[in-house]
Amino acid sequence: MNDSTHNSGSAVLINNLTRHFGDFTAVDHISLKVDYGEIFGFLGANGAGKTTAIRMLCGLLMPSGGSGEVAGYDIYKQAESIKKHIGYMSQKFSLYPDLTGRENLTFYGAAYNLRPADLSDRIHELTERLELGEFINQLSGKLPIGWRQRLALAAAILHRPRILFLDEPTGGVDPVFRRRFWSILYDLADSGVAVFVTTHYMDEAEYCGRISIMHHGSIIEQGRPFDLKRQHGTDSLDDLFINLILSQEATRA
Amino acid sequence: MHRIRFIAQKEFYHILRDFRSLIIVIIMPVMMIFLYGYAINMDIENVSLAIVDFDHSVESQQLTERFFASPYFSPGENEVDMSDPEQLLRSGQVAAILAIPPGFSAALARGEDFELGMMVDGTDASLASAVQAFSNSVLSNFLMDRLPPNFDIPGVTLSQQVLYNPDLKSSHFLVPGLVAVILMMISALMTSMTIAREKETGTMEQLLTTPVKPREILIGKLLPYVVIAFVDGILVLIFARLVFGVPFVGSQLLLLGFGLIYVTTALSIGILISSLVDTLQEATLLAQVATLLPAVMLSGFIFALKNMPFVLQAISYIVPARYFVVIIRGIMLKGAGLEVLIPQAGALVLLMVILMTVAAAKFKTRVV
């Protein structure tokens, strides 16, 4: 693969990225940078524009304006190259419910052009690491939600992507599993993967290296959780988030 | 190629694990050929005829029997009320009334000219002209049989021989065309749903974050359905043969080969539709509109294309069923060979390539 020219630089670099749906502006001139090996948290209430932003970065949605690069490739013109280097886990379970976990992973392995021998090793490795166990041989639509999320994560990292996009990956799962899920994300980041994760759980935001807070399509604050708390003179991200949103609402009104 | 194989395999799992849908796509074509095959029977048999005999002779009785002994006519059910015979036609109780005036037997004995009277319901024009032809033939047979055995009428006769469908049974003509229509409908319907369903459930979005190319998705999804549609084709042909007794003069292998091309073209229509729309409902509706009407009206299945206005004839060239109707009738009824049917097959392949190319071009990997 011709990756050498793209190894340096940022995993994600966007400038004034914007998306309109008719009169509605879902994402309004956002700019940010995510480095390899970093866990970047994308915070915001439902409808803040997080998913729209992620879908533009993954090549699923055309931006209306602004510029951006993912893995060093242009998001307008080189979406096909971007797709080789990213993994994506959507908010809604999007693997095939009528296929078993193993069949899903085998299929996605082929979609990423993994060689059959490598693929079966990789599936074995991920089954161990994500403790999927016997669940991998069951129809994925019948799995409990926590296991489905693990399977979806396995599918997203199967091909060893350099950038991982996770859209509310822990929605509806129990705290024990969330803790385990985040430890896996730390491992990935340690190995140099850029993890771009949206959430509206403030305790999860604490785990991120840097966060950006989105409100009505705009980024209203960005930085390391520790620094942000100090700047705003609060010791909880919860308070920080709520204060920010309230002051925004006040200036809008 | 590697990816196409895995997409096809995945699609096979979907088909086989959705057992109910699988049964429907296997049973439905068979049901359709059965129902439509009987419903569109255009043979004229058992036309109800009232005969009013004023002559009351042995001969008039014989003529009446001759009429009802033929397969074409059967007696009307009610007693004929001669005060208003036309009432029978108006009410539709009979399709024709034959009157044998008094003096029929006397005229026969003397060899004189004589006229019988007949009233025919002309609302169904083809039925009326058939009734006229059939009654003439019954009458002339009756008269011929009365001639002395060694009596010869000099003159020229026309010796007619009807080839390929000697009994002129409409089912032999219609059922092969029906096979073409049914396969078109069911094939397009099956594939029209595959991509639309994935768009609806959200699995397509996940797939589109991978480097898979549109043409790989489309071909991978097409392939498993070729197998299913081919099985449908074989079942429908078996039924056409067994239930409707359609002759099979030509090569069965050749028909299967052409059938494979035809169903693949029909499936491509569904693939194109599926790549254009976003919901299952739109997909199934569009598949029915785009296939049923053209396949019935513009394929030559019932209505001869050469009698149509120029515009409709021109449109018919993009209707795949048009080509397969020629192929299937040619092979089953006439025993036509490869050399005759190559142009038809070529047209089908060309349409298939165009449909798949447009589908790949129109398939959006990204929401604009």
Side-chain angles (χ1 to χ4, degrees), chain B residues 40-361:
Chain B
I40 59 172
N41 190 340
M42 289 184 177
D43 289 338
I44 291 166
E45 282 177 347
N46 287 328
V47 177
S48 60
L49 170 73
I51 297 182
V52 194
D53 184 358
F54 294 104
D55 194 42
H56 300 294
S57 60
V58 177
E59 286 79 8
S60 67
Q61 191 57 42
Q62 281 172 349
L63 181 64
T64 303
E65 279 163 15
R66 280 298 273 270
F67 264 95
F68 293 139
S70 83
Y72 313 122
F73 297 107
S74 61
E77 282 170 17
N78 299 335
E79 198 61 33
V80 181
D81 171 13
M82 281 322 292
S83 59
D84 186 10
E86 207 197 318
Q87 162 65 20
L88 288 172
L89 290 178
R90 258 204 312 272
S91 64
Q93 290 178 58
V94 298
I97 301 172
L98 174 69
I100 308 173
F104 172 64
S105 61
L108 276 178
R110 285 196 297 268
E112 289 172 358
D113 286 351
F114 194 81
E115 261 188 4
L116 302 175
M118 187 166 219
M119 279 193 286
V120 183
D121 177 357
T123 44
D124 182 341
S126 63
L127 181 77
S129 61
V131 166
Q132 288 175 329
F134 292 155
S135 40
N136 273 327
S137 99
V138 172
L139 185 61
S140 57
N141 282 337
F142 173 78
L143 295 174
M144 295 285 271
D145 289 354
R146 291 183 57 84
L147 295 171
N150 52 358
F151 191 90
D152 248 352
I153 308 173
V156 182
T157 58
L158 181 63
S159 166
Q160 288 178 318
Q161 193 186 4
V162 176
L163 298 180
Y164 312 130
N165 185 2
D167 304 334
L168 291 177
K169 288 194 77 105
S170 66
S171 64
H172 292 184
F173 172 75
L174 289 173
V175 170
L178 194 57
V179 171
V181 173
I182 290 171
L183 288 180
M184 169 56 63
M185 267 184 72
I186 191 86
S187 303
L189 194 63
M190 286 192 292
T191 41
S192 73
M193 294 193 279
T194 70
I195 296 169
R197 185 187 291 125
E198 286 213 41
K199 286 182 189 166
E200 227 174 62
T201 57
T203 51
M204 185 53 77
E205 182 165 293
Q206 184 73 42
L207 185 55
L208 290 179
T209 64
T210 74
V212 166
K213 295 183 178 63
R215 61 163 191 277
E216 293 168 334
I217 297 178
L218 300 182
I219 297 173
K221 280 185 165 287
L222 176 74
L223 290 177
Y225 286 101
V226 173
V227 178
I228 307 286
F230 191 59
V231 171
D232 275 342
I234 292 172
L235 286 176
V236 166
L237 281 174
I238 290 173
F239 254 72
R241 183 87 186 86
L242 293 185
V243 177
F244 297 101
V246 179
F248 206 131
V249 183
S251 155
Q252 302 182 358
L253 210 63
L254 195 62
L255 184 58
L256 291 183
F258 281 124
L260 199 59
I261 297 174
Y262 176 61
V263 294
T264 311
T265 308
L267 292 166
S268 308
I269 295 182
I271 291 280
L272 174 61
I273 289 169
S274 208
S275 65
L276 293 178
V277 304
D278 290 321
T279 67
L280 267 179
Q281 207 182 359
E282 287 173 284
T284 52
L285 198 66
L286 202 55
Q288 286 171 43
V289 172
T291 56
L292 183 59
L293 213 57
V296 171
M297 307 300 284
L298 298 177
S299 66
F301 154 54
I302 298 178
F303 310 106
L305 289 168
K306 63 173 185 293
N307 297 340
M308 288 187 183
F310 173 75
V311 180
L312 290 182
Q313 284 196 43
I315 296 174
S316 78
Y317 284 98
I318 58 164
V319 176
R322 170 205 168 110
Y323 303 102
F324 193 63
V325 164
V326 175
I327 289 172
I328 190 171
R329 278 188 189 146
I331 295 178
M332 287 187 83
L333 303 180
K334 300 190 210 170
L338 197 58
E339 64 290 345
V340 188
L341 301 173
I342 278 288
Q344 317 290 334
L348 285 175
V349 172
L350 184 67
L351 279 175
M352 182 206 309
V353 171
I354 293 172
L355 287 164
M356 289 300 282
T357 309
V358 175

Side-chain angles (χ1 to χ4, degrees), chain A residues 4-235:
Chain A
S4 51
T5 51
H6 298 286
N7 268 335
S8 56
S10 307
V12 179
L13 183 63
I14 57 179
N15 198 9
N16 285 323
L17 193 68
T18 301
R19 172 70 207 203
H20 307 290
F21 291 104
D23 291 338
F24 174 67
T25 305
V27 172
D28 194 1
H29 296 86
I30 63 169
S31 303
L32 57 85
K33 183 165 99 71
V34 180
D35 291 321
Y36 290 109
E38 181 179 31
I39 297 182
F40 186 86
F42 216 41
L43 274 65
N46 290 328
K50 296 170 296 187
T51 300
T52 305
I54 277 206
R55 293 183 72 228
M56 284 192 275
L57 297 177
C58 292
L60 291 171
L61 184 67
M62 207 60 163
S64 309
S67 63
E69 280 183 8
V70 173
Y73 297 101
D74 184 79
I75 57 171
Y76 289 92
K77 296 182 195 128
Q78 295 173 299
E80 296 317 303
S81 302
I82 291 175
K83 288 175 180 179
K84 289 179 190 154
H85 300 285
I86 61 167
Y88 171 65
M89 181 174 160
S90 74
Q91 210 168 337
K92 192 176 154 227
F93 181 70
S94 301
L95 299 182
Y96 298 100
D98 53 342
L99 264 55
T100 66
R102 187 181 299 281
E103 287 163 348
N104 267 303
L105 295 183
T106 307
F107 172 69
Y108 274 99
Y112 284 109
N113 263 345
L114 300 186
R115 287 214 310 271
D118 297 344
L119 179 59
S120 71
D121 287 351
R122 181 72 175 149
I123 291 176
H124 182 73
E125 180 195 330
L126 288 174
T127 308
E128 299 277 292
R129 188 156 152 207
L130 298 178
E131 296 165 52
L132 280 163
E134 260 311 292
F135 285 110
I136 194 151
N137 293 321
Q138 294 185 12
L139 291 185
S140 61
K142 300 229 162 91
L143 294 178
I145 186 155
W147 300 97
R148 265 192 272 172
Q149 300 298 76
R150 279 184 215 201
L151 187 63
L153 180 64
I157 61 176
L158 190 64
H159 55 294
R160 297 190 172 86
R162 299 169 57 219
I163 306 164
L164 183 59
F165 291 98
L166 306 165
D167 195 3
E168 301 196 2
T170 55
V173 301
D174 62 81
V176 177
F177 173 69
R178 274 168 59 196
R179 177 65 61 85
R180 197 173 289 165
F181 195 92
W182 275 87
S183 90
I184 293 163
L185 296 189
Y186 271 109
D187 289 348
L188 286 166
D190 285 345
S191 68
V193 174
V195 179
F196 192 113
V197 55
T198 75
T199 181
H200 51 226
Y201 295 115
M202 291 306 140
D203 59 328
E204 287 191 350
E206 298 273 8
Y207 302 145
C208 297
R210 278 190 314 131
I211 56 173
S212 87
I213 298 174
M214 251 188 123
H215 185 59
H216 287 305
S218 306
I219 292 177
I220 54 174
E221 192 58 277
Q222 196 160 200
R224 290 163 54 195
F226 178 79
D227 296 342
L228 290 179
K229 278 187 287 189
R230 203 177 48 185
Q231 276 168 34
H232 290 268
T234 166
D235 48 30

